[in-house]
Amino acid sequence: MELIIDDIPVKTASKKLYIETYGCAMNVSDSEIVASVLIDGGFLQTNDEFEADVVLLNTCAIRENAEQRIWHRLAALKNNKRKKPGLIVGVLGCMAERLKTKLLEQDQLVDLVVGPDAYRDLPNLISQVEDGEKAVNVLLSREETYAELSPVRLNSNGVSAFVSIMRGCNNMCSFCVVPFTRGRERSRDAHSIVREVEDLHKNGYKEVTLLGQNVDSYLWQNEDGSETCNFAQLLEKVALVDPNMRVRFSTSHPKDITDEVMHTIAKYDNICKYIHLPVQSGNSRILELMNRTYDREWYMSKVTRIREIIPECGISSDVISGFCSETEEEHQDTISLMKWANFDFSYMYSYSERPGTLAARKYPDDVKDDVKSRRLTEIIKVQNQMSANNNLKYIGKICKVLVENYSKKSKEDLMGRNDQNIICIFPKGNHQKGDYVNVLIERVSVTSLIGKVIE
Ligand code: SAM
Ligand code: SF4
Ligand code: F3S
């Protein structure tokens, strides 16, 4: 029989939960939802995996090496289970959704497999495991947005927080596994988003990043259709919560970003002048094979428009090297586009074929590994040179920086970001996390600006 204390079954009341997060910001945000669901279910959160009764890995499936990391981590967790035989090990997130019950078949250690839309079911599923069964819920939903749940801010600096505004993705980029792991796109109730930002503001937070795979297609409608809100309108509502609350967002899609969004960014001082606008390739034939639904010229016209409407805007990108059938000339098109756009920063990857995607079914993964990595190295070299040059233009300028934390290298220095999302490092003086400071930039590296606070 189960004893009940304060409505919490004792069998879970003392259980400790440890969550490890892999992959993108969306997964970081999801782990906060998972913590909220389980803490409501009577669990205590711990940062020590060895005192945990339940270890959850919130996983990513975007490239093969992301999944390899999880297999290695699961192998290491065998030791934890040897020391603590009752330990429950769960795999959540995109890899759980992709592999489903195959995860149980491939690794005896795994007790629990839960996809991104099934986190409300976690307390039940864990009970099932406690009763000696394996538990799986990988149902995807057309409605779930976890709108009214209050995320538990894990490992937070107390200054910046992620706010999820939509889930899933309706695009079918041929290389990408996300539509399969996260299901159809759905937008979260605009009022619940604004409430979450207001709560963060009351709790002292100074910056929010609105998250979605394609924020420009955000479109929420109330039940009777009398109220609608698009992304530009949502940005405005969030910006109006407080002028000292910085607003960032990710990711924008070149096919959908509108002038209305750009004008809204330009209109509000607290909307950061920074857009992450992944290009993936600079060649129109490859973009078509990728099913990105824009070509090189369209992408260039969007960058031109951003620079017209928000001249001081930072722009960053994602780039894939060695996509199926990419020739040397097409690779050079990517390099020339990167140079033309003069990105401040890029996330750069070698193409990794993902089972079940359109590309895996239609196009041979025929660029050899050594060619992919050589092209990737070339792309990284070009980006590093541009980043260093772009950073140089800040020397002698003053940047408004929101202090986020100590610098990684020294407790005597603080770090934060300027409007354009570039990391700034400076001596701490009397400043602390959450302060806005004006930093005079004196030196730069490829990744950061270094200076001192001007009072
Ligand atoms: N929704 C965002 C967009 O469309 O720009 C991207 C989200 S995805 C999580 C992040 C990045 O991973 C992509 O922009 C792409 O550059 C990269 N990526 C996705 N699938 C990949 C694959 N199969 N191989 C290599 N990189 C991949
Ligand atoms: Fe993947 Fe394309 Fe959707 Fe981004 S927009 S998540 S790359 S399918
Ligand atoms: Fe993110 Fe990886 Fe899933 S990048 S959406 S956690 S596949």
Side-chain angles (χ1 to χ4, degrees):
M1 198 185 73
E2 237 169 44
L3 281 172
I4 305 284
I5 298 176
D6 290 343
D7 291 339
I8 297 170
V10 165
K11 89 172 178 183
T12 55
S14 54
K15 295 270 178 210
K16 290 206 173 127
L17 161 76
Y18 172 83
I19 312 179
E20 212 164 82
T21 308
Y22 296 80
C24 64
M26 198 65 92
N27 256 16
V28 174
S29 170
D30 278 4
S31 289
E32 299 182 339
I33 294 291
V34 168
S36 163
V37 168
L38 286 174
I39 289 169
D40 279 354
F43 285 80
L44 296 172
Q45 193 248 329
T46 173
N47 288 327
D48 179 358
E49 63 178 283
F50 295 103
E51 67 165 28
D53 302 290
V54 178
V55 170
L56 300 177
L57 306 184
N58 192 3
T59 63
C60 173
I62 201 85
R63 283 166 291 274
E64 196 188 345
N65 58 10
E67 292 195 3
Q68 281 309 331
R69 262 182 96 188
I70 303 298
W71 290 120
H72 289 137
R73 184 65 179 114
L74 286 170
L77 280 172
K78 291 211 165 75
N79 280 332
N80 303 41
K81 205 150 182 166
R82 223 170 280 135
K83 285 186 198 139
K84 197 171 192 174
L87 176 70
I88 294 175
V89 175
V91 179
L92 317 182
C94 292
M95 184 178 169
E97 189 64 49
R98 192 180 86 73
L99 291 175
K100 304 185 173 57
T101 50
K102 279 191 213 137
L103 261 164
L104 298 179
E105 289 154 24
Q106 285 186 25
D107 198 324
Q108 297 298 316
L109 173 89
V110 178
D111 303 295
L112 185 69
V113 178
V114 190
D117 286 345
Y119 296 146
R120 287 182 203 265
D121 200 21
L122 269 166
N124 293 329
L125 296 165
I126 291 176
S127 281
Q128 217 171 299
V129 175
E130 285 170 335
D131 292 339
E133 291 168 44
K134 300 268 178 184
V136 180
N137 186 344
V138 287
L139 287 176
L140 287 172
S141 157
R142 280 176 177 262
E143 287 96 35
E144 181 62 274
T145 58
Y146 301 112
E148 82 296 357
L149 290 181
S150 302
V152 171
R153 306 291 167 185
L154 300 164
N155 307 318
S156 164
N157 60 7
V159 178
S160 343
F162 291 130
V163 175
S164 169
I165 63 164
M166 59 207 293
R167 298 183 71 80
C169 182
N170 278 359
N171 297 317
M172 273 286 168
C173 301
S174 61
F175 51 79
C176 185
V177 80
V178 172
F180 304 93
T181 62
R182 291 194 163 255
R184 304 291 293 169
E185 179 186 287
R186 62 227 99 117
S187 296
R188 177 179 166 192
D189 181 331
H191 299 293
S192 83
I193 296 169
V194 171
R195 271 197 301 275
E196 186 174 331
V197 176
E198 285 168 349
D199 282 348
L200 285 163
H201 173 59
K202 274 185 215 129
N203 289 319
Y205 283 80
K206 296 281 177 59
E207 181 177 78
V208 289
T209 303
L210 309 180
L211 294 180
Q213 292 300 347
N214 177 1
V215 289
D216 303 289
S217 69
Y218 174 88
L219 187 61
W220 173 76
Q221 199 169 42
N222 68 350
E223 266 173 26
D224 65 11
S226 59
E227 190 188 355
T228 58
C229 181
N230 68 16
F231 182 57
Q233 292 160 334
L234 180 74
L235 261 184
E236 177 152 55
K237 284 183 205 292
V238 171
L240 288 170
V241 167
D242 189 277
N244 277 321
M245 184 69 130
R246 270 187 170 181
V247 184
R248 298 187 183 276
F249 54 90
S250 183
T251 302
S252 301
H253 197 298
K255 82 176 162 66
D256 291 319
I257 190 166
T258 59
D259 281 12
E260 191 191 1
V261 165
M262 296 178 209
H263 284 298
T264 310
I265 298 169
K267 183 171 166 195
Y268 290 94
D269 278 349
N270 58 331
I271 304 182
C272 290
K273 308 296 176 260
Y274 166 67
I275 298 178
H276 184 57
L277 193 72
V279 66
Q280 314 297 1
S281 165
N283 175 271
S284 294
R285 186 186 76 89
I286 294 293
L287 286 169
E288 195 173 343
L289 292 185
M290 287 178 163
N291 202 23
R292 287 290 286 182
T293 69
Y294 55 83
D295 60 11
R296 180 184 170 97
E297 286 66 37
W298 174 275
Y299 186 87
M300 290 168 92
S301 71
K302 287 295 173 181
V303 170
T304 304
R305 201 72 188 122
I306 293 171
R307 303 233 191 267
E308 274 164 18
I309 298 175
I310 324 162
E312 73 277 35
C313 197
I315 303 180
S316 62
S317 191
D318 291 350
V319 182
I320 298 180
S321 81
F323 186 68
C324 313
S325 77
E326 184 191 69
T327 64
E328 219 44 53
E329 292 71 41
E330 289 166 339
H331 161 64
Q332 288 304 326
D333 284 346
T334 297
I335 290 186
S336 73
L337 182 84
M338 289 173 75
K339 287 184 178 165
W340 176 87
N342 195 17
F343 296 130
D344 292 280
F345 181 81
S346 290
Y347 295 98
M348 295 158 281
Y349 314 99
S350 279
Y351 172 59
S352 163
E353 184 178 84
R354 306 310 290 131
T357 54
L358 208 70
R361 284 181 278 132
K362 274 176 79 176
Y363 314 122
D365 179 13
D366 54 2
V367 178
K368 293 207 170 62
D369 282 350
D370 59 331
V371 175
K372 279 184 193 169
S373 20
R374 194 249 306 144
R375 289 182 190 167
L376 180 64
T377 310
E378 287 173 15
I379 286 170
I380 292 173
K381 195 170 157 209
V382 166
Q383 182 57 61
N384 284 348
Q385 262 166 13
M386 285 191 306
S387 298
N389 279 342
N390 285 340
N391 286 351
L392 279 176
K393 69 176 184 252
Y394 285 101
I395 290 190
K397 297 227 168 87
I398 294 171
C399 294
K400 186 177 173 187
V401 175
L402 172 62
V403 183
E404 288 175 36
N405 227 321
Y406 290 109
S407 103
K408 274 194 196 136
K409 288 196 187 139
S410 160
K411 284 253 152 64
E412 293 307 307
D413 291 334
L414 294 171
M415 68 76 62
R417 282 160 216 273
N418 69 1
D419 225 17
Q420 287 74 13
N421 208 32
I422 303 175
I423 291 177
C424 301
I425 314 275
F426 46 92
K428 81 172 186 300
N430 294 324
H431 304 286
Q432 47 189 328
K433 279 197 266 185
D435 288 350
Y436 283 105
V437 290
N438 289 319
V439 178
L440 172 67
I441 307 305
E442 297 169 318
R443 288 180 295 128
V444 303
S445 72
V446 172
T447 53
S448 34
L449 311 178
I450 303 136
K452 63 177 182 214
V453 175
I454 302 295
E455 301 292 346

